[in-house]
Amino acid sequence: MLFELNQLILRAGHQSLIKDVSWSAYKRILAELGDNRSYRIAYSQGVLEIINGTDY
C-alpha cells in the first residue's frame, strides 16, 4: 500500500502510527516534510509516529 503524506489529515494534538515503514521511507518522509513543519516525526523499529501540533 502506497500513500502520500498530503493524504493524511491529523487534527492538532493527534497522533498517527504507521507500521512496516523502512528506514529509507522514513528518510524520504523527513525530506518531503522539510525542516519547517508542524509535525513531530519519530521512528522506531519500523513504526513511524506522526503527531500534529505545536505542544509536543
Side-chain angles (χ1 to χ4, degrees), residues 7-56:
Q7 292 176 282
L8 292 176
I9 299 172
L10 293 175
R11 294 185 304 200
H14 284 77
Q15 169 194 58
S16 180
L17 295 174
I18 304 167
K19 65 179 187 172
D20 299 325
V21 176
S22 68
W23 179 255
S24 60
Y26 167 65
K27 298 299 279 181
R28 284 193 310 270
I29 289 167
L30 287 180
E32 183 178 330
L33 290 175
D35 292 333
N36 197 12
R37 61 181 179 265
S38 63
Y39 296 99
R40 183 178 72 85
I41 310 294
Y43 179 86
S44 178
Q45 299 178 359
V47 177
L48 179 69
E49 176 186 45
I50 303 172
I51 299 176
N52 184 14
T54 57
D55 299 328
Y56 307 128

